[in-house]
Amino acid sequence: MIRKEPLRPGGRSARVQASVHQAVRALQARHGRAGLTIPMIAAEAGVTPSTLYRRWGDLPELLADVAVERLRPDTPPRDTGSLRGDLEHWAEQIADEYASVPGRALIQDVLAANATPERAYQCCAFLREALGLVILRAQARGEPTPDVEMLIDGVMAPILYRILFLGDRPDKARVKALVARALQGLA
Amino acid sequence: MIRKEPLRPGGRSARVQASVHQAVRALQARHGRAGLTIPMIAAEAGVTPSTLYRRWGDLPELLADVAVERLRPDTPPRDTGSLRGDLEHWAEQIADEYASVPGRALIQDVLAANATPERAYQCCAFLREALGLVILRAQARGEPTPDVEMLIDGVMAPILYRILFLGDRPDKARVKALVARALQGLA
DNA sequence: CACCTAAACGCAAAGGATTTGCGTTTAACT
DNA sequence: AGTTAAACGCAAATCCTTTGCGTTTAGGTG
């Protein structure tokens, strides 16, 4: 949904986009992710391949577009009653989601689309938004809080680094330690 | 170089591999990275496309193979006389290298090769090795040292996260702060 | 409400890329 | 020197990608 909406005349943008996204989800669920092609997606979505080539350029771009939508959080972080609890619970949830086979593939799809780095930025923005909410709740409780960048560097970056480069979901103890370290020495 | 060496009969493995790697470097330097194709690389390397398809499967795998070799460090981290100095200097160097346009592309190539996650692991191993050396030198000086995983989480992960997801090379002040925080509270 | 315009789409042909079977060459081992 | 199996070159078949052109659609206008 990064493309500018057609403010000018023609364009059935929305309808095609929706059916293509749905087609990709269906095909990825049915077959694996490997071997997915643009003609295949076009057939499933009921459009011609040239439409997809014109709109997205190539398969990686299309997959990245779908991936960003799927990475968009559907629910805000759970309120556990404390900053530490919120962070631990939410970081665990993100780790589970991103370390799963489909989750890791989504991140790869986003990072592989080298034509539009804005998509990777968008994914980080989802995390920032969630962290911002957690921080606001903590401030409302009167707890001392770190800033968002500290949590990005101290908690999210290590989790994502390990998932991406080591194929390794950090275990609960490590996540707890990352959170503890990020909260260390607050006023 | 991940493939098992041909311990059995045939195979001119090494010769083809070398000329293909060289061809990719030459083509990426001449034209951009975009628009690179397997037939193009095959022509430059003086082999037939089918050879490359049989050995690597597809373009992302081939590019990932070349990228890992190019990410292999050629010199050990400089000895500045102190652990903090070594880490700061080396982290700056890695940040510069990985945040450059070709550097970022190499990392993307490595992460995009979803058939062989071992390559991403290998890249992390390069960093671990360098960090291990820095730590050994510090221990020889009698300095207290963190363990490698602490530095991976505290210094390398944030740098790489920001380069990959934000397209943003952390500035010198942030790198210094990351190092300082990772060294905080050592025995 | 009817008309106008430009973007998006479908179709189909042309141009490349990918796959695959088969014969040949190469390197290690005897 | 002979043997063997992997790797390679070649070429045909298949599939994907690109592109020109006519048609449809959505938004703007009189």
Side-chain angles (χ1 to χ4, degrees):
Chain A
M1 255 303 233
I2 299 220
R3 64 185 301 98
K4 305 175 185 69
E5 283 312 300
L7 302 174
R8 293 292 154 210
R12 40 190 110 144
S13 226
R15 187 174 60 78
V16 170
Q17 170 137 346
S19 57
V20 167
H21 278 230
Q22 181 182 337
V24 170
R25 286 194 297 271
L27 288 172
Q28 285 182 344
R30 197 177 320 152
H31 315 38
R33 165 165 325 251
L36 201 61
T37 67
I38 286 211
M40 211 179 288
I41 296 168
E44 177 81 16
V47 297
T48 54
S50 63
T51 295
L52 305 190
Y53 284 114
R54 271 191 253 258
R55 276 188 68 136
W56 281 279
D58 57 17
L59 184 61
E61 287 296 323
L62 197 165
L63 293 181
D65 200 37
V66 176
V68 171
E69 289 310 309
R70 298 185 70 177
L71 286 172
R72 184 188 299 278
D74 46 351
T75 57
R78 197 172 82 184
D79 190 338
T80 66
S82 75
L83 173 58
R84 176 181 304 253
D86 283 7
L87 285 176
E88 285 178 357
H89 180 269
W90 181 73
E92 283 292 339
Q93 186 180 322
I94 291 290
D96 280 338
E97 188 177 333
Y98 286 16
S100 70
V101 173
R104 188 171 187 279
L106 291 180
I107 303 175
Q108 285 181 305
D109 287 345
V110 170
L111 291 178
N114 36 15
T116 54
E118 309 85 43
R119 283 196 239 269
Y121 188 89
Q122 177 63 37
C123 287
C124 185
F126 295 153
L127 301 185
R128 278 213 176 100
E129 192 179 355
L131 288 171
L133 186 60
V134 167
I135 289 173
L136 281 178
R137 283 200 308 234
Q139 286 172 342
R141 291 188 202 104
E143 293 184 87
T145 56
D147 75 350
V148 175
E149 300 311 308
M150 169 78 76
L151 295 177
I152 289 282
D153 284 343
V155 181
M156 301 319 303
I159 291 175
L160 276 160
Y161 179 85
R162 286 177 181 277
I163 290 172
L164 280 176
F165 286 89
L166 303 180
D168 186 28
R169 181 209 184 287
D171 61 23
K172 287 178 192 278
R174 182 174 292 274
V175 171
K176 271 178 113 80
L178 290 172
V179 171
R181 194 165 178 86
L183 298 182
Q184 196 178 54
L186 290 179
Chain B
M1 258 294 242
I2 298 221
R3 63 188 301 101
K4 305 176 185 68
E5 284 311 300
L7 302 173
R8 293 288 155 212
R12 40 189 111 145
S13 229
R15 187 174 60 80
V16 170
Q17 170 137 345
S19 56
V20 167
H21 277 230
Q22 181 184 336
V24 170
R25 286 194 297 270
L27 288 172
Q28 285 183 345
R30 198 176 321 153
H31 316 41
R33 165 167 324 253
L36 203 61
T37 68
I38 286 211
M40 209 179 292
I41 296 168
E44 176 80 17
V47 297
T48 55
S50 63
T51 295
L52 305 190
Y53 284 114
R54 270 191 254 257
R55 276 186 70 137
W56 281 280
D58 56 17
L59 183 61
E61 287 295 323
L62 196 166
L63 292 181
D65 200 35
V66 175
V68 171
E69 289 310 310
R70 298 185 69 176
L71 287 172
R72 184 187 301 275
D74 46 352
T75 57
R78 197 173 78 183
D79 190 337
T80 66
S82 75
L83 174 58
R84 176 181 304 253
D86 283 7
L87 285 176
E88 286 177 358
H89 180 269
W90 182 73
E92 283 292 339
Q93 185 181 324
I94 292 290
D96 280 338
E97 187 176 333
Y98 286 16
S100 69
V101 173
R104 189 171 187 279
L106 291 179
I107 303 175
Q108 285 182 305
D109 287 346
V110 169
L111 290 178
N114 35 17
T116 53
E118 308 86 42
R119 284 196 238 268
Y121 188 89
Q122 177 63 38
C123 287
C124 185
F126 294 153
L127 301 185
R128 278 214 177 98
E129 192 180 352
L131 288 171
L133 185 59
V134 166
I135 289 174
L136 280 179
R137 283 200 307 233
Q139 286 173 342
R141 290 188 204 105
E143 293 182 88
T145 57
D147 75 351
V148 174
E149 299 311 308
M150 169 79 75
L151 296 178
I152 290 282
D153 285 342
V155 181
M156 300 320 302
I159 291 175
L160 276 160
Y161 179 85
R162 288 178 180 276
I163 291 172
L164 279 177
F165 286 90
L166 304 180
D168 187 28
R169 182 209 185 284
D171 60 24
K172 288 178 190 276
R174 183 174 292 276
V175 171
K176 271 177 111 80
L178 290 172
V179 171
R181 196 167 178 85
L183 297 183
Q184 196 178 56
L186 289 179

